[in-house]
C-alpha cells in the first residue's frame, strides 16, 4: 500500500497560522512541505534588523518602493510555495494599493535570506533559485559563520548564478536600489 504524503498549500498555512491573533506559529512552504519557523537566534535577528534599517533609510530618501521583514510571498501560480524572506523589497509599481493584509501573491524584487545554523548552502541556493524563477530579480544570502554573502540572479542565458562577496565587500542594490550599497564590514566587522 502506497502512503501518499500530504502537500500543503498557502490556504493551509493561512488556516494553520490564523489571522485572528490567537495562533503565533509561523510557517514557510517549500514544494508543499510545511516548514515551521522557529525564532531566529540573536545574530540572525540583529543582521535582519540592520539590513532592513539600511534599506528603510534608503527608501526614505528614494520613494521607489517598500521594504519589509518576514512577509509571506508566494509565486503567482504556485500555491505550494510560500516564503518569508528575512528582508524584502518590492518596487512601488508592483505593490498593490492599499497594501493587503494577507500574503503577497507575487515574489519580492529583492529577497534577503540569512543562513541559520541548520541551513545548508544547497537548500539556500535552491530557495534562491525558486525566488528567481518566479519573479524575484535579486537574492542576497548572508552567511554569518563565513562573514560573507552570495549574490544570486538569473543570467542572460536563464541560468542560476551566484557571486561570492567576502567580509570586506559590498552588496550593491544594482538597478533595483540604484546607488544603494551595504558594506559587509558594517555587519561583520573588520
Amino acid at each position: 500500500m502506497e502512503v501518499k504524503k500530504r502537500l500543503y498549500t498557502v490556504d493551509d498555512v493561512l488556516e494553520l497560522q490564523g489571522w485572528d491573533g490567537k495562533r503565533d506559529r509561523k510557517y514557510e512552504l517549500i514544494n508543499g512541505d510545511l516548514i515551521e519557523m522557529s525564532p531566529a537566534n540573536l545574530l540572525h535577528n540583529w543582521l535582519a534588523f540592520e539590513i532592513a534599517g539600511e534599506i528603510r533609510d534608503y527608501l526614505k530618501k528614494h520613494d521607489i518602493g517598500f521594504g519589509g521583514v518576514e512577509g509571506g510571498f508566494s509565486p503567482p501560480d504556485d500555491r505550494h510555495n510560500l516564503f518569508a524572506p528575512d528582508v524584502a523589497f518590492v518596487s512601488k509599481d508592483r505593490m498593490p494599493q492599499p497594501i493587503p493584509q494577507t500574503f503577497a501573491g507575487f515574489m519580492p524584487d529583492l529577497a534577503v535570506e540569512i543562513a541559520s545554523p541548520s541551513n545548508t548552502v544547497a537548500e539556500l541556493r535552491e530557495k534562491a533559485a525558486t525566488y528567481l524563477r518566479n519573479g524575484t530579480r535579486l537574492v542576497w544570502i548572508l552567511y554569518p559563520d563565513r562573514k560573507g554573502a552570495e549574490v544570486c540572479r538569473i543570467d542572460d542565458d536563464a541560468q542560476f548564478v551566484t557571486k561570492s562577496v567576502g567580509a570586506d565587500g559590498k552588496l550593491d542594490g544594482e538597478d533595483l536600489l540604484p546607488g544603494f550599497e551595504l558594506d559587509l564590514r558594517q555587519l561583520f566587522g573588520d
Side-chain angles (χ1 to χ4, degrees), residues 11-65:
D11 298 318
D12 294 324
V13 174
L14 283 168
E15 186 176 320
L16 287 167
Q17 233 171 252
W19 292 103
D20 57 9
K22 295 180 182 172
R23 292 170 246 164
D24 59 359
R25 292 183 170 166
K26 292 181 182 180
Y27 301 95
E28 282 189 323
L29 281 176
I30 299 177
N31 299 321
D33 289 333
L34 189 64
I35 312 294
E36 186 169 358
M37 306 300 291
S38 61
N41 67 51
L42 289 178
L43 177 58
H44 187 120
N45 182 273
W46 180 82
L47 289 168
F49 179 80
E50 287 297 310
I51 295 164
E54 291 294 321
I55 291 173
R56 182 207 61 230
D57 290 349
Y58 173 89
L59 292 174
K60 285 185 179 226
K61 296 175 186 166
H62 305 87
D63 187 22
I64 61 169

Side-chain angles (χ1 to χ4, degrees), residues 60-155:
K60 285 185 179 226
K61 296 175 186 166
H62 305 87
D63 187 22
I64 61 169
F66 302 86
V69 294
E70 295 185 358
F73 293 88
S74 74
D77 298 317
D78 179 355
R79 303 298 287 167
H80 291 93
N81 282 291
L82 174 70
F83 297 130
D86 292 302
V87 180
F89 164 75
V90 176
S91 61
K92 201 173 198 177
D93 61 331
R94 293 187 61 234
M95 182 65 79
Q97 293 297 322
I99 297 174
Q101 293 187 40
T102 187
F103 298 136
F106 58 90
M107 299 304 263
D109 291 298
L110 168 68
V112 180
E113 291 286 346
I114 300 167
S116 296
S118 62
N119 294 131
T120 67
V121 171
E123 70 189 14
L124 287 167
R125 286 181 179 167
E126 179 57 34
K127 192 176 197 181
T130 301
Y131 277 117
L132 294 163
R133 285 191 302 264
N134 288 285
T136 298
R137 294 172 46 202
L138 184 63
V139 177
W140 295 338
I141 303 173
L142 274 77
Y143 295 100
D145 290 347
R146 290 194 260 173
K147 297 187 176 186
E150 282 185 325
V151 176
C152 307
R153 67 174 55 78
I154 299 293
D155 69 11

